[in-house]
Amino acid sequence: MNTVTENLTHQKNSIEKLTSPHSNKVNILMVDDHPENLLALKAVLTSPNYHLVSANSGKEALKCMLKQDFAVILLDVQMPGLNGFETAKLIKAREKTRHIPIIFITAISLDMEHVYEGYSVGAIDYIMKPFNPKTLKYKIEQFVKIHQNHQENIIQTDRERKVELNEMNKKLDRTTLNLRRTEALSKVIGETIVDTILTFDDQGSILSVNPAIKSMFGYRAEELIGGNVLRLFLTWMGDHVQDSSFSFLSSIKESAGKVIESVAVRKDESHFHADILIGETTIEKHNLFVCSIRDVTERKQIEEIKKLQYNNMEQIVEKRTQELIRANERLQNEIEERERIASHLYRSQERFRKIFESSPCLMAIFSQKNLTFIEVNTSWLNFTGYSMTELEKHKINVKNFIDESTGKPINLDLKIRNKKISYKTKDGDIRDGLLSTEMIDIHPEPCTLMVLTDITETVHLEKEMSRLDRLNLIGEMAAGIAHEIRNPMTTVQGFLQLSRNDSANLSAEIIDLMLDELTRANSIITEFLNLAKNKVSVKKKQNLNTILEALSPLIQAEAFRSSKHVKLELNQCPDIFIDQKEIRQLILNIALNGLDAMSSNGKLTIKTYTEKQAVILEIKDQGHGISPEVLQKLGTPFFTTKETGTGLGLAICYSVAKRHHAEIDISTGDEGSTFSIRFNINPSSTDYS
């Protein structure tokens, strides 16, 4: 164990030395007796990755080798004292430094005998002075890379060995702990178990016994150890032990792993019934047996008593059998009656199941105790968008069911009859419905049956019919009064223009004011007439992006006046049948409303794209959103939130959309509102006029 620890410590120190901050730089030894040559080498090899060490002689170089490790050595051949060849021999003779590459740099000769001598003493290259700096630098870089790769391999090998040794130590520790634990447990079990446990060899010689031998047989352990196990038994599987010792030992080997009934003999020669269980094992090629002896005298006595009781029980059983036959007849009659009731209940349940599943109303049953769903029908799943696995055993969310009259969640503790509510689907859509509840009992848990009639389409149709009725009324009014109002306005406007030159009777400022008011009145009437249902649109097949590009400068200028921005995202769209003038008016009305809804530096995004055989025009602002009360009244004539607005802009937009068989969808929130107008790519033939 100490050797393993020492190896781990040695490896740890080696890894720390190789990975220390100083070892990030590679050591390079330069040996030359001329300082100017060392300066030249240093100038060529200076690098933040190298640690350059200079030596003026072979002896000084050898001293440096004792202190540091080097990646490569640049060695001058001609030096006083130890020359380069002699120094190289000494370096290669040392085990720790013999693998360091040596490059000879000489100015004497490149004759073959000098080169051979250099290579013979361990040099790997031979460079003649003056040398090429770039060539020398590249060579040094390659040797440094080789050195670094070698060092990394050493570190990796050491790490792997360290991990392997750690694992081995852990396994040794675990094995030692398990051995100690097993030894302690065996000792505790042997001392506390009430059964006698002894071990003996294949000759029957007792090797060990546990303390229970004293209370069961009356022997001390030392009285039995070394003796024969035969002395503890009177009979074995019906045979007398003293009659055949050899057959007894043979039967022991054959009965290993089985429970054998026997008669054991105590020290005082008294007998008792015992159950014997023998296990066999082999240790160092010797067969050993472990014998467990249990005193079953009390069990045998109980068995005898049971035999006596059994004889008495036969008469009692016969009597009770007759009683059971009569009780069975009564039970059979009761079973037949229960089957008849169960059949009736099954038919009732089937009828309820068919009604429950096929009902067009949304139906659900949930527990009154914890409000968890017990059952829902197909209509509930279809309308809400949830699956059965998502609802089963989950608690009903009362916040998804809002009382329309109070705006608060419904109270499921009360009985409800046709209450108008709004409920939320899985996708977040809000739908309308009529809710009724009934308290019922199921096995016998109190439950609530919820029946919800979806009236979303009916409510939507009622709102649409109401809006159309208002539009029709406005159209009829506009058509009836427009002619009567315009004629006197034209006359007044003409006279006012003529009298403008007579400043004595009427000032120019008053006349201008009157003209502006008349112009405004005329504008209102013109917009009012646009709502008339008998207006005819002149539609031509053209591209929506072309209209937006033409309107872009006008919208940009309006945005610039209020320090706002407009962004166009025009994707490729097919041509559709539209009235250019009406679409221009629709775009301007919605875009200007969006600009008015934003504060400074807000951005208005106008986007077009194609989706499911339709061209989508999307106008999005970054205002504060539209409240539900205002959203419900949008498009109603004369409804406006502006101080100077007429309330006809969005009404005209809806009228234009209707004449183009387009749909306007509005989504709003705290981050702004988005108006989406969907134009069908392939409208019916009636749309072309």
Side-chain angles (χ1 to χ4, degrees), residues 634-689:
L634 283 184
T636 304
F638 301 113
F639 175 76
T640 180
T641 59
K642 302 177 184 178
E643 294 181 359
T644 58
T646 62
L648 296 174
L650 280 180
I652 292 173
C653 292
Y654 276 103
S655 180
V656 171
K658 179 184 176 185
R659 289 195 289 273
H660 284 77
H661 295 274
E663 299 177 1
I664 298 178
D665 181 61
I666 305 172
S667 62
T668 183
D670 295 338
E671 297 179 357
S673 303
T674 302
F675 284 74
S676 300
I677 302 95
R678 176 184 292 270
F679 299 91
N680 293 326
I681 296 177
N682 298 314
S684 60
S685 58
T686 57
D687 296 344
Y688 300 156
S689 59

Side-chain angles (χ1 to χ4, degrees), residues 361-538:
C361 297
L362 289 75
M363 301 179 73
I365 300 173
F366 58 88
S367 170
Q368 293 181 14
K369 181 179 180 181
N370 52 20
L371 297 182
T372 55
F373 283 101
I374 297 175
E375 190 70 51
V376 296
N377 69 346
T378 304
S379 296
W380 187 285
L381 301 177
N382 292 338
F383 276 94
T384 62
Y386 290 97
S387 63
M388 190 63 196
T389 55
E390 291 175 312
L391 295 179
E392 193 173 17
K393 304 302 181 183
H394 284 73
K395 193 173 183 179
I396 186 171
N397 188 357
V398 294
K399 294 181 180 179
N400 288 342
F401 301 88
I402 304 300
D403 189 340
E404 192 174 274
S405 60
T406 63
K408 297 180 180 179
I410 59 173
N411 186 358
L412 294 177
D413 295 332
L414 303 177
K415 199 171 184 180
I416 301 173
R417 285 288 178 268
N418 286 332
K419 183 180 287 293
K420 192 172 183 182
I421 67 163
S422 60
Y423 67 96
K424 184 186 291 185
T425 66
K426 180 182 178 181
D427 295 331
D429 296 336
I430 303 299
R431 301 184 66 87
D432 298 304
L434 295 176
L435 178 65
S436 297
T437 60
E438 187 68 41
M439 309 303 174
I440 59 176
D441 291 332
I442 300 179
H443 302 305
E445 182 181 0
C447 299
T448 298
L449 172 64
M450 177 186 287
V451 180
L452 181 61
T453 304
D454 189 279
I455 59 170
T456 305
E457 299 300 330
T458 304
V459 171
H460 178 73
L461 183 61
E462 289 175 355
K463 291 180 180 179
E464 188 65 19
M465 290 299 296
S466 176
R467 191 177 68 84
L468 291 176
D469 288 342
R470 291 196 299 271
L471 289 175
N472 287 334
L473 178 61
I474 292 170
E476 292 174 2
M477 291 175 59
I481 68 174
H483 182 71
E484 296 298 329
I485 294 177
R486 268 189 164 177
N487 284 336
M489 281 178 58
T490 303
T491 304
V492 172
Q493 187 175 12
F495 275 112
L496 287 173
Q497 289 174 343
L498 290 175
S499 61
R500 186 179 181 185
N501 296 325
D502 189 0
S503 59
N505 296 327
L506 199 60
S507 67
E509 294 180 357
I510 297 176
I511 294 173
D512 288 340
L513 181 61
M514 295 175 67
L515 288 172
D516 289 341
E517 291 299 318
L518 288 172
T519 302
R520 172 173 169 77
N522 192 43
S523 172
I524 293 173
I525 294 173
T526 301
E527 291 184 0
F528 200 15
L529 286 174
N530 285 334
L531 296 175
K533 65 179 180 179
N534 58 350
K535 180 175 175 61
V536 177
S537 299
V538 181

Side-chain angles (χ1 to χ4, degrees), residues 199-231:
T199 61
F200 56 91
D201 58 19
D202 53 2
Q203 300 300 318
S205 179
I206 298 174
L207 303 176
S208 66
V209 295
N210 70 332
I213 193 77
K214 176 68 176 174
S215 59
M216 185 176 292
F217 285 89
Y219 291 103
R220 297 193 306 274
E222 55 269 21
E223 293 180 277
L224 293 177
I225 293 176
N228 199 291
V229 72
L230 299 177
R231 65 189 294 185

Side-chain angles (χ1 to χ4, degrees), residues 315-345:
Q315 298 177 357
I316 299 173
V317 168
E318 180 66 24
K319 181 179 179 181
R320 292 298 302 274
T321 301
Q322 297 299 325
E323 294 177 357
L324 287 173
I325 291 173
R326 291 191 293 271
N328 188 48
E329 292 176 354
R330 293 193 299 271
L331 181 61
Q332 186 64 33
N333 294 332
E334 185 177 348
I335 290 173
E336 292 176 357
E337 180 65 19
R338 286 178 179 242
E339 287 178 349
R340 185 184 65 79
I341 297 172
S343 176
H344 175 72
L345 287 174

Side-chain angles (χ1 to χ4, degrees), residues 106-366:
T106 182
I108 53 174
S109 174
L110 277 178
D111 292 339
M112 291 307 296
E113 60 270 16
H114 288 88
V115 175
Y116 287 149
E117 185 178 359
Y119 285 125
S120 67
V121 297
I124 63 171
D125 203 355
Y126 209 98
I127 299 175
M128 187 68 183
K129 298 178 184 178
F131 52 80
N132 186 318
K134 188 173 292 186
T135 303
L136 177 61
K137 189 175 182 178
Y138 287 156
K139 286 185 177 183
I140 294 300
E141 287 178 356
Q142 296 305 315
F143 288 128
V144 168
K145 287 182 181 177
I146 293 171
H147 172 76
Q148 289 175 334
N149 290 336
H150 179 64
Q151 294 297 98
E152 289 177 0
N153 290 335
I154 292 174
I155 293 172
Q156 182 63 27
T157 302
D158 286 345
R159 285 176 178 166
E160 291 175 356
R161 290 186 62 192
K162 181 180 178 181
V163 172
E164 184 177 349
L165 288 171
N166 283 336
E167 289 298 323
M168 291 177 62
N169 282 336
K170 289 179 181 177
K171 288 181 180 178
L172 286 172
D173 291 341
R174 285 197 297 269
T175 302
T176 303
L177 179 62
N178 290 336
L179 287 173
R180 291 175 179 172
R181 185 184 294 134
T182 302
E183 187 177 315
L185 289 174
S186 299
K187 183 178 180 182
V188 171
I189 291 172
E191 292 176 351
T192 57
I193 193 168
V194 295
D195 295 344
T196 295
I197 297 177
L198 55 88
T199 61
F200 56 91
D201 58 19
D202 53 2
Q203 300 300 318
S205 179
I206 298 174
L207 303 176
S208 66
V209 295
N210 70 332
I213 193 77
K214 176 68 176 174
S215 59
M216 185 176 292
F217 285 89
Y219 291 103
R220 297 193 306 274
E222 55 269 21
E223 293 180 277
L224 293 177
I225 293 176
N228 199 291
V229 72
L230 299 177
R231 65 189 294 185
L232 297 177
F233 301 102
L234 179 65
T235 63
W236 181 270
M237 299 179 65
D239 296 330
H240 204 274
V241 172
Q242 281 75 10
D243 292 345
S244 176
S245 301
F246 178 79
S247 62
F248 170 69
L249 290 174
S250 300
S251 64
I252 284 179
K253 296 179 181 179
E254 293 174 358
S255 60
K258 302 177 182 177
V259 177
I260 306 299
E261 291 186 354
S262 179
V263 176
V265 182
R266 298 187 181 94
K267 183 178 180 179
D268 59 4
E269 297 185 357
S270 61
H271 304 157
F272 65 92
H273 294 279
D275 281 351
I276 314 299
L277 178 62
I278 297 177
E280 183 180 6
T281 185
T282 301
I283 299 177
E284 297 180 356
K285 298 182 181 180
H286 295 287
N287 292 334
L288 296 179
F289 299 90
V290 179
C291 179
S292 172
I293 306 172
R294 175 170 294 179
D295 187 344
V296 295
T297 304
E298 185 177 349
R299 191 187 72 191
K300 288 291 184 179
Q301 293 173 350
I302 293 173
E303 288 177 355
E304 291 295 327
I305 294 172
K306 285 183 177 180
K307 286 181 181 179
L308 295 175
Q309 291 177 343
Y310 179 76
N311 295 329
N312 296 330
M313 285 292 292
E314 286 185 346
Q315 298 177 357
I316 299 173
V317 168
E318 180 66 24
K319 181 179 179 181
R320 292 298 302 274
T321 301
Q322 297 299 325
E323 294 177 357
L324 287 173
I325 291 173
R326 291 191 293 271
N328 188 48
E329 292 176 354
R330 293 193 299 271
L331 181 61
Q332 186 64 33
N333 294 332
E334 185 177 348
I335 290 173
E336 292 176 357
E337 180 65 19
R338 286 178 179 242
E339 287 178 349
R340 185 184 65 79
I341 297 172
S343 176
H344 175 72
L345 287 174
Y346 176 77
R347 290 193 298 271
S348 299
Q349 288 178 352
E350 280 297 306
R351 286 194 294 269
F352 172 77
R353 170 61 58 185
K354 290 180 180 179
I355 295 172
F356 185 79
E357 285 295 333
S358 60
S359 173
C361 297
L362 289 75
M363 301 179 73
I365 300 173
F366 58 88

